[in-house]
Amino acid sequence: MTMKHSGARKLQQVTNFYSSFDQLNGVHPWMEAVKDGFVSYKVRELQTGKVAYFNFILAKEMGLIPADHPHQMTDDLQEKLIETFSLQIINEYDELTHRRIDPETIRPHEYMATRYLQLQHSNKQGKTSGDGRGIWNGTVYHRGTTWDVSSRGTGVTCLAPGAVAAQKPLKTGGTEFGYGCGLAEIDELLGASILAEVMHLQGVRTERMLCVIDLGKGYGIGVRAAQNLIRPAHLFLYLKQERLDNLKSATDYLIDRQVMNKAWDIKSKGNTKYDEMLHEVSKAFGEFTALLDTDYIFAWLDWDGDNVLADAGIIDYGSVRQFGIRHDKYRYDDVERFSTNLNEQKQKARLIVQVFAQMVDYLKTKKKKPLREFAHHPAVQNFNKVFDNKRAERLLYRMGFNETQRSHILAKEGLFARFDKEYSFFERAKVSGNTEKVADGVNHPALYNMRTIMRDYPKFLQDSPLPFEKRWMTENNFFKTVLSGFAKARDARMGEKQRRHIENFQSLYRELVQTAAGKNKPEHILKGISERAEKLNSEKRITGNALIEMVEEIITEKKKGLSMEQIQKIIDKLVFDQNGMPEIPTGRFYRELQQTPAVKMDLYARLLSLVEEHKESI
């Protein structure tokens, strides 16, 4: 066999090995379902960049690479990823200026930037807004499940806030207008890669990062994937514009995808299916928001349904943070306005459900009624009920109680409510003084760290040699354990009020344990509670501030010569260290992991020290 034929066969083998990526060619069913729900763009292959991160586990779940593919980047895989994802749109500015582009680099299919409602646009009906720097690569179908894949950092579209403000086409990479650059910064993308996968491993519904392409000069392309990337905002713009046919098409598309993926159990046809969808949405948002509340996850929710997935999940990690303690007065400064805070997320999520109720009524009656008429709709009331139930369930889970133990506690009328009152006294207390400025907004820090007491108290009860009824932590030790690092001198003095709440907390905690034990002795379940609580309230929790500084450290090392392979391994290890949360199904590919990757230990130690330094921050 000649060398020429041998090389051709090798190329054919490589092409076949990674041929699943060829599904991602710009064609997406939304284009057929909602004819003007997008702006289409020709795209060109940049033929440049390096893979800074690739989510091997997600790629295996999606069937993009074989299940037994080594957890290692190969030249052939890198080449395929660059070919598939290193793209840039040929936008209106390029067309207007007759930019010279090699026709060989232009993809055969146009890619879509979708239209959706966005409050940051002056037009509140979604006529000008949508994907401002992103395109949808298409869908992947594997084992009965369809996945959406989209990329950000692929060039400025006409739907970008900057392009709308400028009232003219913008050049990709220009910085004259805010939100008009069209590019994505590499630190933002690496941060999202870590945090999204950490959220996934905690059982939070979320988009996940499939791949990050480093284009150099601080910019990159981030590729996101989820089983459905549609946002409520994709539907709400047609409600606001009172375009019934488009709204019906978009809603039917959402329902069909969710049913096909077995995410929603909707059996009805006709208008009844919209009522069933509303019930699914109400339940999903109630559970999702309760989880954000108990786990101190800030995700900027608002009635437009922009920064959230339609099935209730996180999308757009630019303003998402995981707090160390309950910083529920933190607001992100988005230049023209401040974000909502942690306390307001429930109200905003409920408002999203209310808009869904208005939308369903419009679909059924063909007449749009005022939003206020749906304030007490059964779907909204169901949201409230689901939120309360899920919050109780999730808090007890975070405390280390297993499913059976939680059911015993919640079956005893009034017990959780009494405990929650004492718990909330500590959790919601703030340090003395007023709201103060922080790097990217404002905050009034939390006074107490409930994660430490949830971790340390069951261990104290377990280790005490005394009979269970006599195992009391001294007031001073309790107060010292629960006090956060933000406490000022005047906050660190324990008064009679604090003593009373400490006594009540301990008394009710012990009642929870006794009730959870059922017919067993409370001493017999303390070891299990303690082990779970230690895992669930780990000091390795990555807060928003820690993540920012960790990524800065990685980027600094990259400039000094840190290889892409090491960046991949470091991100993998940071993520894998969060694996193994009790009761969270993570899929076979996480379960099959035998060991975490070997990393540059001096750098990794510095990253862990940043986690420790910021463990209580925003």
Side-chain angles (χ1 to χ4, degrees), residues 524-542:
H524 293 171
I525 66 168
L526 284 172
K527 184 174 185 291
I529 294 171
S530 182
E531 287 173 352
R532 286 166 60 98
E534 187 170 13
K535 179 72 178 174
L536 289 162
N537 300 285
S538 166
E539 291 193 318
K540 287 186 177 180
R541 179 183 176 89
I542 300 172

Side-chain angles (χ1 to χ4, degrees), residues 278-279 282-283 286 377-387:
L278 183 56
H279 178 76
S282 173
K283 179 174 177 284
H377 189 278
V380 176
Q381 293 174 343
N382 185 57
F383 167 89
N384 292 333
K385 182 182 174 184
V386 170
F387 177 92

